[in-house]
Structures are given as structure tokens and as C-alpha cells.
């Protein structure tokens, strides 16, 4: 009985989710480290720019790997769509659930069950809501870095209203 | 395909972390220590995933431990290091890595010769073993980033840890 259990468990993890928790634990350590180095700013918010910066440098590199065999993008919206679909599913195992734009450089990407939040709480549980933004700073940087390497200069903010859903606001800077 | 990108996310994130640590600390030794400490924190959590996924019980002996560590690398990093160079007493062995996802896109600049880039692995192994009442020591003997042919990680059994009695119940 036990032997059988071992076989099915191991084989189901050769499919690609094998190292999923590895990234999550590493991310948790990076968040801890960044928090230990940071102090609160004037508004009493945690200073998360170190995390954001690490995310940026990862995003800047990873987008090159992910777009390697991809056709040239038509326009900005095309790139954002790529981010919402292929990019998101290869990093976070699902696509963005909702994309909104005002067609003037503001995009809102909504993920209803964000991978780095979905073990933290459900919408009935607000216990960790206050600490949750620190789990998004890295991903904000990741988005900004990826877009930067595609030629889009932007600022990216995240917003959480109910766990584990979150929204990323991308504001493209026009020159 | 997905898996490849998955480990790339891990690899590149780890790289960004090492770069940040090198920026934050003047001393490379401090970076090594910090990496090991983070690995330790990951290891004490990873062991639970390992036990839950494999359903394995306690190790019979250190050879059994070696095989389970090897399985761990297979599960989490998708690589199978070879187990070699057993000491006569059976309390020391080496894990040899021909490929190492952690160093996939990495070259060490000259001023980082003392950097143990993969030191996080040492912490992970130590933390994971400690959670199953085993104290081990490990260190790198060879490193592909320093132009060795393989990366060799030496693992040594130190002692069994006894169950601690909760305070006030002795």
C-alpha cells in the first residue's frame, strides 16, 4: 500500500510542478531578508524597494528567455496580452483572470488566486491582509523589468482587497 | 517545457539574491553565511514537502540517508547527483553534480573567488536533516564555477539528535 503511494506521488511530480515550492520558499526568504534590511518610511509603510529591484532584474532577464521563439509583438497591448497569458502561466501556473485598460497607458491585471497569496488566506480571513503587500513587491518588479526589456517604461503597483486575489496596476510612462 | 521555465525562475531569482547580498555585504564570507542561513530556513520547511511527497519513513543508516537526499534533488531540482567516495567508516560521502540548475547562467567574476555560490544547498541539507534528528556537516570540495570538472558536495554525519523534552516535563 505504502509502496504504491510512493510511486504515484513521485511520478505526478515529474510533470513540471516539481520545484514549485522551491521558488516559494526562496521567495519567502528573500522577503524576510529584504524586510530585515529595510526600515519604515515616513508614512509608516514598509520600504520594499529592495524586493522590487530584485524582481526587476529577474524580470529583465526572464522575458528574454520566454520570448526567445516568439514573433515580434504588434504593439503595446499585444505585449501586455503576452504578459497576461504565456508569461503569467509559465511563472505562476495560471493566466491573469482579468485585464482592463483605458487605452491611454493604464493597465490593470487582476489575478483572482495569486500563487504567492493563495496559501496565506481566503476572503473570509483578513488576518494577514496587512502583511500581504510584501508578497507582491517582487512580482511588481518582475512585471516592470519584463516590460522594460520589451521597451516599455512603466511603474507597477499592486493592490489587494480580498485574499488571495490581487490587482497589478501598470502605468506606462509616455515620453 | 513548463518545468524548464520554472527552474529558470528559481535560478534567476537566486542569482538576483546573490547579487543583492554581494552589494549589501562588504565581506564575501558574510554572503556565504547569509546564503547558508537562508538555505537552512528553506530546508526546515522543504523536509515536510519531501516527507509528504515520498511517504518515506526514518532512515535505516547513513547510506539510506544518502539515497533519500539524492531523491530530494530529483524531486525538487530535477537532477540526480551521483553518490560516491564513501569513507571507510560509512559516515561521509560525496554528491557529485554534473549539471546544476543553480549555476545555469552563472560565471564568477575574479573578485568573487571566495564566494560559495551554491552555499544555499548546504543550508538546505543541514536544515532538512536537523528536522529528522540528524546533525550533519557539509561543504563543497569541488566547484564547476571554479573550473573543476564536477561540483562535489561532501556530507558528513555528526550525530543523532535526541528528542528534546518539553520544558517542565522532565
Amino acid at each position: 500500500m505504502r509502496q504504491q503511494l510512493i510511486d504515484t506521488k513521485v511520478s505526478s511530480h515529474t510533470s513540471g510542478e516539481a520545484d514549485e515550492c522551491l521558488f516559494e520558499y526562496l521567495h519567502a526568504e528573500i522577503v524576510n531578508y529584504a524586510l530585515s534590511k529595510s526600515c519604515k518610511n515616513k508614512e509608516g509603510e514598509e520600504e520594499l524597494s529592495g524586493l522590487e529591484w530584485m524582481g526587476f532584474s529577474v524580470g529583465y532577464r526572464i522575458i528574454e528567455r520566454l520570448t526567445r521563439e516568439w514573433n515580434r509583438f504588434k504593439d503595446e497591448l499585444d505585449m501586455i496580452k503576452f504578459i497576461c497569458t504565456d508569461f503569467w502561466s509559465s511563472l505562476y501556473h495560471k493566466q491573469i483572470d482579468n485585464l482592463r485598460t483605458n487605452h491611454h497607458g493604464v493597465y490593470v491585471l487582476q489575478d483572482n488566486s495569486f500563487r504567492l497569496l493563495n496559501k496565506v488566506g481566503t476572503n473570509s480571513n483578513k488576518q494577514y491582509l496587512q502583511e500581504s503587500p510584501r508578497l507582491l513587491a517582487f512580482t511588481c518588479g518582475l512585471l516592470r523589468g519584463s516590460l522594460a526589456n520589451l521597451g516599455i517604461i512603466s511603474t507597477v503597483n499592486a493592490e489587494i482587497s480580498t485574499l488571495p486575489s490581487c490587482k497589478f496596476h501598470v502605468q506606462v510612462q509616455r515620453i | 517545457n513548463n518545468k524548464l521555465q520554472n527552474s529558470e525562475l528559481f535560478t534567476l531569482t537566486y542569482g538576483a539574491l546573490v547579487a543583492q547580498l554581494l552589494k549589501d555585504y562588504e565581506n564575501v564570507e558574510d554572503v556565504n553565511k547569509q546564503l547558508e542561513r537562508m538555505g537552512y530556513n528553506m530546508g526546515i520547511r522543504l523536509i515536510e514537502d519531501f516527507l509528504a511527497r515520498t511517504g518515506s519513513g526514518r532512515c535505516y543508516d547513513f547510506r539510506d540517508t544518502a539515497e533519500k537526499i539524492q531523491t530530494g534533488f530529483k524531486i525538487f531540482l530535477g537532477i540526480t547527483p551521483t553518490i560516491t567516495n564513501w569513507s571507510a567508516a560509512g559516515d561521509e560521502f560525496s554528491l557529485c553534480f554534473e549539471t546544476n540548475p543553480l549555476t545555469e547562467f552563472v560565471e564568477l567574476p575574479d573578485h568573487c573567488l571566495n564566494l560559495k555560490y551554491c552555499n544555499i544547498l548546504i543550508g538546505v541539507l543541514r536544515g532538512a536533516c536537523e528536522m529528522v534528528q540528524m546533525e550533519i556537516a557539509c561543504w563543497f570540495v569541488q566547484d564547476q564555477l571554479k573550473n573543476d570538472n564536477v561540483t562535489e558536495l561532501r556530507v558528513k554525519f555528526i550525530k543523532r539528535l535526541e528528542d528534546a523534552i518539553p520544558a517542565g516535563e522532565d
Side-chain angles (χ1 to χ4, degrees), chain A residues 2 6 9 13 16 18-19 21-23 25-26 28-30 33 53 57-58 62 65-66 90 93 138, chain B residues 2-3 5-10 12-13 16 20-21 23-24 38 41 49 53-55 75-77 105:
Chain A
R2 163 158 278 185
I6 294 172
K9 288 266 169 145
H13 284 287
D19 42 28
C21 63
L22 217 52
F23 169 71
Y25 292 157
L26 180 66
E29 285 309 309
I30 290 178
Y33 171 72
W53 173 246
S57 57
V58 173
I62 215 157
R65 313 280 308 165
L66 294 182
S90 55
H93 309 310
F138 180 86
Chain B
N2 218 359
K3 173 170 177 125
Q5 286 150 2
N6 241 334
S7 80
E8 281 180 10
L9 176 63
F10 177 71
L12 291 172
T13 304
Q20 183 68 42
L21 291 174
K23 230 189 299 175
D24 290 349
M38 289 175 164
N41 292 339
D49 285 89
R53 285 182 189 186
T54 59
I75 292 178
F76 294 115
L77 278 177
F105 312 111

Side-chain angles (χ1 to χ4, degrees), chain A residues 29 33, chain B residues 14 21-22 25 27-41 114-124 126:
Chain A
E29 285 309 309
Y33 171 72
Chain B
Y14 184 64
L21 291 174
L22 283 169
Y25 294 97
N27 190 340
V28 173
E29 282 306 318
D30 291 338
V31 176
N32 293 338
K33 258 185 240 159
Q34 188 70 37
L35 287 173
E36 185 180 342
R37 187 156 73 197
M38 289 175 164
Y40 178 86
N41 292 339
N114 291 326
L115 175 69
K116 294 178 182 133
Y117 188 86
C118 297
N119 232 21
I120 197 155
L121 294 180
I122 285 179
V124 168
R126 246 182 6 92

Side-chain angles (χ1 to χ4, degrees), chain A residues 106-169:
Chain A
V106 176
Y107 300 88
V108 180
L109 287 64
Q110 182 175 340
D111 190 334
N112 292 332
S113 176
F114 183 53
R115 173 174 157 192
L116 296 173
L117 292 177
N118 62 17
K119 294 190 187 86
V120 177
T122 53
N123 52 16
S124 57
N125 185 344
K126 295 195 165 34
Q127 189 180 3
Y128 297 112
L129 199 58
Q130 213 183 341
E131 287 84 2
S132 298
R134 56 174 78 153
L135 297 174
L136 299 178
F138 180 86
T139 302
C140 286
L142 199 73
L143 277 170
R144 197 167 66 83
S146 306
L147 291 171
N149 203 354
L150 293 174
I152 300 178
I153 306 303
S154 61
T155 53
V156 180
N157 295 307
E159 175 197 334
I160 310 172
S161 42
T162 53
L163 291 170
S165 117
C166 64
K167 287 177 185 164
F168 295 95
H169 295 260

Side-chain angles (χ1 to χ4, degrees), chain A:
Chain A
M1 184 63 200
R2 163 158 278 185
Q3 193 58 43
Q4 209 174 1
L5 183 78
I6 294 172
D7 288 347
T8 54
K9 288 266 169 145
V10 172
S11 65
S12 73
H13 284 287
T14 54
S15 62
E17 52 180 328
D19 42 28
E20 181 173 29
C21 63
L22 217 52
F23 169 71
E24 284 165 21
Y25 292 157
L26 180 66
H27 179 264
E29 285 309 309
I30 290 178
V31 171
N32 273 342
Y33 171 72
L35 289 176
S36 74
K37 283 268 157 192
S38 83
C39 42
K40 295 195 171 183
N41 64 14
K42 274 173 283 176
E43 289 87 46
E45 288 172 348
E46 284 165 343
E47 176 59 63
L48 299 171
S49 60
L51 271 176
E52 213 264 358
W53 173 246
M54 279 188 262
F56 182 91
S57 57
V58 173
Y60 200 87
R61 288 170 175 83
I62 215 157
I63 193 78
E64 292 190 353
R65 313 280 308 165
L66 294 182
T67 53
R68 204 168 22 174
E69 283 155 24
W70 209 259
N71 287 332
R72 199 177 176 83
F73 294 110
K74 250 189 355 260
D75 52 19
E76 193 178 281
L77 185 62
D78 209 25
M79 293 176 195
I80 301 279
K81 280 183 183 162
F82 172 81
I83 296 282
C84 292
T85 53
D86 290 71
F87 179 86
W88 214 255
S89 48
S90 55
L91 301 189
Y92 298 121
H93 309 310
K94 68 186 284 294
Q95 298 191 355
I96 284 286
D97 294 298
N98 190 298
L99 169 66
R100 284 160 192 264
T101 175
N102 66 355
H103 296 288
H104 292 286
V106 176
Y107 300 88
V108 180
L109 287 64
Q110 182 175 340
D111 190 334
N112 292 332
S113 176
F114 183 53
R115 173 174 157 192
L116 296 173
L117 292 177
N118 62 17
K119 294 190 187 86
V120 177
T122 53
N123 52 16
S124 57
N125 185 344
K126 295 195 165 34
Q127 189 180 3
Y128 297 112
L129 199 58
Q130 213 183 341
E131 287 84 2
S132 298
R134 56 174 78 153
L135 297 174
L136 299 178
F138 180 86
T139 302
C140 286
L142 199 73
L143 277 170
R144 197 167 66 83
S146 306
L147 291 171
N149 203 354
L150 293 174
I152 300 178
I153 306 303
S154 61
T155 53
V156 180
N157 295 307
E159 175 197 334
I160 310 172
S161 42
T162 53
L163 291 170
S165 117
C166 64
K167 287 177 185 164
F168 295 95
H169 295 260
V170 179
Q171 170 110 44
V172 177
Q173 284 172 10
R174 309 268 185 226
I175 306 158

Side-chain angles (χ1 to χ4, degrees), chain B residues 46-93:
Chain B
L46 268 173
I47 186 71
E48 307 217 356
D49 285 89
F50 177 80
L51 295 176
R53 285 182 189 186
T54 59
S56 57
R58 284 185 180 276
C59 299
Y60 305 111
D61 54 21
F62 205 45
R63 285 183 188 267
D64 191 21
T65 308
E67 277 164 28
K68 282 180 174 148
I69 289 176
Q70 189 185 37
T71 310
F73 275 102
K74 177 91 186 76
I75 292 178
F76 294 115
L77 278 177
I79 49 170
T80 309
T82 41
I83 303 170
T84 56
N85 297 341
W86 277 98
S87 64
D91 64 342
E92 254 184 79
F93 66 91

